[in-house]
Amino acid sequence: MTRKVLVIGLGLIGGSIALALQKAPNTKIIGYDMDETTREHAKTLNIVHDIVTNPQDVAAEVDIIIFGTPVNATLEWMEQLKTWPLKNKVIVTDTGSTKKMIMQKAGELRELGITFIGGHPMAGSHKSGVLAAKAHLFENAYYMLTPLAGEEIINMAQLESLLKFTHAKVVSVSAREHDHMTAVVSHFPHVIAASLVHQLGGENGEYPMTRSLAAGGFRDVTRIASSNPILWRDITLQNRDELVAQLEGWQSEMNRVKELLLNGSSADIENYFAIAKELRDELPISAGAMFTSFDLYVDVPDYPGVISEVTGLLADEKISITNLRIVESREDVFGILVISLQSESDRERAAACIQQRAKFETYIS
Ligand SMILES: NC(=O)C1=CN([C@@H]2O[C@H](COP(=O)(O)OP(=O)(O)OC[C@H]3O[C@@H](n4cnc5c(N)ncnc54)[C@H](O)[C@@H]3O)[C@@H](O)[C@H]2O)C=CC1
Ligand SMILES: O=C(O)C(=O)Cc1ccc(O)cc1
């Protein structure tokens, strides 16, 4: 029997889930997005098997519904869902970055007999839209589920048996735990990144070169400020309390830094950075860390040892690789080696090193 999955919202995350689920046997992926161009892309790029212009038309025949929409839009769809004809055993899930308000709404759905299990793949990027979708986006990342208390095991098992095709590590947490943890490692850093960019924007023009100097560190720290503002508006609106708590912690941390700047000894200051370095260096890189791949595509000739030659060059330059794969092994002379790196600046260094030392062409998709 064919399992039918409806994905509503086919941007970076919805599109990537749809692509990953293409590997699931006997599964038909139907997609909807409010944006017509996105719908067209999703169909022509085979991200979905079928596209609809009104999700309600197919709601009664699908087994799983996945929301890949910004979190406020998800709340609105969940409200509409209450009036849709649905299969008895339908499982509804989402991919949103916040969970408390969504799971509150899920409680209302439960009263109507609709199963909703919250979901959040902890992988992504500052890029958005269907054209940025990738089948392997969630590989090795945590995928948090936030079931309501007392959720039936069989429903969890059904959802997990589908999500295994994302190759993510599925874990269950409460919505409250979820919103606290993501505020610390994702939502608040986002506010800080945006505020650093605002601070640069507020420079009064006395030093016109400043923006041109915003390279390396500044770009790394503020990369996420280039994300879709609608997404982050909604996340902020739904996780205000945790964000305010984080901000208060940050303000007292900044007071500590101010005191260090005014009166700290050289040893105190070094110690501040040393402790941060130690903690930062111990963070896990792929398993469970926020995972954004900075992929570099390398056209490599097909001879034995070519991959170790490339990785050896990067090791020489002390550039860490987080993932390595071959996307397309062409029959003729070249293959495409995809190297994932930890940051934009690592990717730039890797590209320069490979072009100069191995003379292979590199691309960024
Ligand atoms: N961007 C990221 O790295 C991550 C995002 N998320 C969550 O995943 C969800 C989707 O985010 P992205 O894919 O990054 O955003 P995106 O901007 O790439 O895609 C969102 C898609 O939803 C569509 N859309 C917006 N409102 C809609 C509505 N009312 N009905 C139907 N379609 C609608 C848009 O046209 C767009 O195609 C969000 O809830 C976000 O919090 C989760 C993990 C990572
Ligand atoms: O680009 C990055 O590093 C991210 O932080 C991506 C991201 C954005 C939102 C999420 O809920 C989870 C991950």
Side-chain angles (χ1 to χ4, degrees):
M1 207 187 70
T2 304
R3 160 172 58 180
K4 289 190 184 171
V5 180
L6 170 62
V7 183
I8 298 180
L10 295 168
L12 171 73
I13 299 299
S16 298
I17 297 239
L19 278 171
L21 299 186
Q22 298 277 350
K23 295 259 161 59
N26 301 326
T27 304
K28 180 171 177 184
I29 323 280
I30 305 165
Y32 168 76
D33 194 285
M34 72 173 190
D35 177 56
E36 189 182 343
T37 313
T38 300
R39 291 201 297 269
E40 281 166 14
H41 281 138
K43 187 70 183 88
T44 48
L45 296 172
N46 293 321
I47 286 173
V48 293
H49 298 119
D50 237 333
I51 199 93
V52 289
T53 48
N54 181 356
Q56 193 175 343
D57 293 346
V58 286
E61 50 186 86
V62 300
D63 304 286
I64 305 222
I65 300 176
I66 304 175
F67 290 110
T69 37
V71 286
N72 281 356
T74 303
L75 283 179
E76 286 165 19
W77 279 115
M78 289 171 78
E79 186 59 34
Q80 291 203 36
L81 214 63
K82 292 178 178 174
T83 61
W84 289 3
L86 293 169
K87 270 193 174 180
N88 251 348
K89 297 202 171 236
V90 69
I91 293 179
V92 189
T93 185
D94 76 317
T95 54
S97 308
T98 49
K99 285 277 109 25
K100 272 196 303 215
M101 288 177 72
I102 294 212
M103 293 317 293
Q104 240 165 36
K105 183 68 88 186
E108 296 172 22
L109 295 182
R110 176 183 265 183
E111 284 176 19
L112 302 170
I114 304 169
T115 301
F116 185 102
I117 301 170
H120 180 195
M122 293 296 288
S125 150
H126 55 286
K127 294 184 190 159
S128 59
V130 68
L131 298 180
K134 298 179 198 169
H136 64 274
L137 187 67
F138 309 112
E139 274 175 26
N140 300 323
Y142 277 119
Y143 196 125
M144 287 196 271
L145 295 182
T146 58
L148 285 170
E151 186 54 73
E152 288 184 35
I153 288 174
I154 186 151
N155 292 336
M156 295 296 288
Q158 277 206 22
L159 181 58
E160 287 179 31
S161 78
L162 185 69
L163 293 180
K164 73 170 186 245
F165 294 97
T166 63
H167 300 291
K169 297 198 307 183
V170 176
V171 293
S172 290
V173 296
S174 73
R176 199 174 49 81
E177 289 168 321
H178 172 278
D179 283 8
H180 174 75
M181 293 190 291
T182 52
V184 177
V185 299
S186 175
H187 306 170
F188 189 65
H190 209 92
V191 173
I192 295 299
S195 71
L196 284 174
V197 178
H198 278 289
Q199 190 157 343
L200 173 67
E203 280 285 293
N204 59 16
E206 195 183 342
Y207 301 98
M209 234 175 98
T210 313
R211 286 184 191 202
S212 317
L213 296 177
F218 189 85
R219 294 188 77 89
D220 283 354
V221 173
T222 58
R223 175 184 59 79
I224 50 179
S226 290
S227 308
N228 178 354
I230 294 177
L231 219 69
W232 286 93
R233 175 200 67 192
D234 285 8
I235 293 168
T236 304
L237 287 170
Q238 290 198 19
N239 209 9
R240 281 183 204 248
D241 294 353
E242 289 289 350
L243 280 171
V244 169
Q246 285 302 308
L247 183 63
E248 282 164 3
W250 173 260
Q251 282 169 332
S252 60
E253 181 63 23
M254 285 302 104
N255 285 339
R256 190 158 79 101
V257 172
K258 189 172 179 186
E259 176 56 29
L260 208 54
L261 294 177
L262 290 171
N263 300 315
S265 68
S266 121
D268 292 338
I269 293 171
E270 181 182 334
N271 199 33
Y272 187 79
F273 290 117
I275 290 171
K277 172 173 165 42
E278 199 178 323
L279 201 59
R280 171 66 171 80
D281 290 351
E282 279 171 3
L283 293 178
I285 288 175
S286 61
M290 283 294 202
F291 163 70
T292 301
S293 58
F294 294 88
D295 289 348
L296 182 67
Y297 292 68
V298 188
D299 238 356
V300 286
D302 187 13
Y303 60 74
V306 70
I307 292 178
S308 59
E309 188 184 327
V310 172
T311 54
L313 289 175
L314 297 183
D316 268 352
E317 309 252 343
K318 303 215 170 357
I319 301 173
S320 303
I321 295 172
T322 59
N323 204 357
L324 200 64
R325 67 203 159 86
I326 295 177
V327 280
E328 181 194 348
S329 209
R330 289 193 227 145
E331 293 297 309
D332 51 1
V333 194
F334 288 98
I336 305 285
L337 174 66
V338 186
I339 305 174
S340 303
L341 299 132
Q342 285 178 24
S343 67
E344 205 154 341
S345 57
D346 274 4
R347 179 165 64 182
E348 282 165 14
R349 287 172 57 220
C353 156
I354 293 167
Q355 282 167 27
Q356 280 160 21
R357 295 183 58 187
K359 310 282 185 236
F360 300 152
E361 298 256 21
T362 64
Y363 314 96
I364 292 171
S365 90

